[in-house]
Amino acid sequence: MTAHSPQLSSQAKAALPAHVAIIMDGNGRWAKQRRLPRVEGHRNGVEAVRSVVRAAGEVGIKYLTLYAFSVENWSRPKEEVDTLMKYLSRFLKSEAAELNKNNVRLEVIGQIYRLPEFVQEQLKKTQAVLARNNGLTVVMALSYGGRQEIVDAVRGIAGKVKQGKIEPAEIDETVFSDHLYTRHLPDPDLLIRTSGELRVSNFLLWQISYAELVVTPTLWPDFRRQHFFEALEEYTRRHRRFGAV
């Protein structure tokens, strides 16, 4: 880190969100602006991931969830999807050593069974390498959809009701949350979306009920620690009421 690296204010350091979630949007537009194939946007987006993971770990964020691949993304051209999967596997393999050095753990949420077998295997290997770490937990949302997560939770609860393990009257927010992919994670305090789009794109629909939203016009491949810190500073200026006065 150089002397000119962006730094957080003392106010932001004192009021950090425990869990930051990011919708990493704008790879395609970044490539189009440069008259490059869309996959070049994804390739350059990897550096943004590196920068944000490093910055989050340095300042003490506990959880960082990255929307890496949605269930809707399966409908993209096969060549683009195949390339994305190769980049993902390569990233997981090449970054394992640095993540381990920086005490980072890795978790995954989504319909992982839909990912190519070579990606699933690399995920298991990387998670095993990082399993003993207790610093920043990076959560990758892969083949993920918020609506599908809710449907899966309802199916799980319905199955337990059918088996007599739970009474319908016992179902409350806690029971429901315990059947989500994120059952072992706290809800996000801050949701960042890049590229300026004002929508949540089927991401953590239940979990972001009271998250603070920060939207930046910066396209994901250009997003770096200074942009991340700007979002944290904005979060610090918010007054979170959780529905109260």
Side-chain angles (χ1 to χ4, degrees):
M1 189 166 60
T2 68
H4 301 291
S5 294
Q7 300 294 319
L8 274 181
S9 68
S10 57
Q11 293 90 338
K13 289 179 180 178
L16 284 174
H19 186 173
V20 179
I22 305 180
I23 299 175
M24 307 182 295
D25 192 29
N27 290 349
R29 269 167 286 172
W30 185 92
K32 185 176 181 181
Q33 288 175 2
R34 292 158 179 76
R35 297 184 179 181
L36 297 170
R38 285 176 56 86
V39 293
E40 285 302 302
H42 300 311
R43 189 172 68 82
N44 282 273
V46 171
E47 186 53 43
V49 173
R50 287 194 189 101
S51 180
V52 170
V53 169
R54 288 169 184 164
E58 287 171 15
V59 298
I61 300 295
K62 297 298 184 184
Y63 299 91
L64 176 68
T65 298
L66 303 175
Y67 201 8
F69 191 84
S70 72
V71 289
E72 292 83 7
N73 289 158
W74 289 115
S75 64
R76 292 184 176 182
K78 185 178 184 302
E79 182 181 358
E80 181 179 345
V81 171
D82 289 347
T83 301
L84 271 169
M85 292 297 131
K86 290 176 184 175
Y87 285 166
L88 172 59
S89 179
R90 193 178 304 160
F91 172 82
L92 291 167
K93 185 176 182 178
S94 65
E95 298 300 307
E98 180 176 345
L99 293 172
N100 195 38
K101 176 183 175 183
N102 293 326
N103 198 27
V104 175
R105 291 179 66 248
L106 176 65
E107 298 199 17
V108 190
I109 57 173
Q111 297 181 324
I112 309 307
Y113 65 88
R114 296 182 65 182
L115 298 173
E117 191 171 329
F118 73 92
V119 175
Q120 293 185 48
E121 287 301 314
Q122 188 58 59
L123 275 168
K124 291 176 184 175
K125 291 178 182 177
T126 303
Q127 285 183 288
V129 169
L130 308 177
R132 295 180 180 273
N133 295 337
N134 59 7
L136 170 68
T137 296
V138 172
V139 184
M140 298 190 75
L142 295 167
S143 190
Y144 174 88
R147 286 185 173 184
Q148 187 61 54
E149 178 181 26
I150 290 171
V151 169
D152 287 348
V154 171
R155 285 175 176 163
I157 294 170
K160 290 183 178 179
V161 170
K162 186 177 181 180
Q163 295 167 15
K165 294 181 178 179
I166 185 172
E167 292 295 322
E170 296 174 329
I171 301 170
D172 57 15
E173 289 188 14
T174 299
V175 170
F176 192 83
S177 293
D178 286 344
H179 288 79
L180 294 171
Y181 305 154
T182 56
R183 62 183 65 90
H184 53 297
L185 302 170
D187 289 342
D189 303 295
L190 169 63
L191 173 64
I192 302 170
R193 177 164 191 143
T194 61
S195 87
E197 299 292 344
L198 302 176
R199 55 179 179 269
V200 296
S201 297
N202 199 21
F203 184 47
L204 300 176
L205 299 179
W206 174 275
Q207 298 89 336
I208 63 171
S209 295
Y210 288 102
E212 295 297 322
L213 309 181
V214 173
V215 178
T216 172
T218 305
L219 301 178
W220 180 249
D222 293 326
F223 197 85
R224 294 294 184 272
R225 66 183 284 127
Q226 66 265 29
H227 304 103
F228 184 62
F229 284 179
E230 286 166 7
L232 295 179
E233 296 284 357
E234 173 62 25
Y235 171 84
T236 303
R237 293 190 285 270
R238 305 282 179 87
H239 176 53
R240 305 184 74 198
R241 294 186 293 274
F242 298 98
V245 176

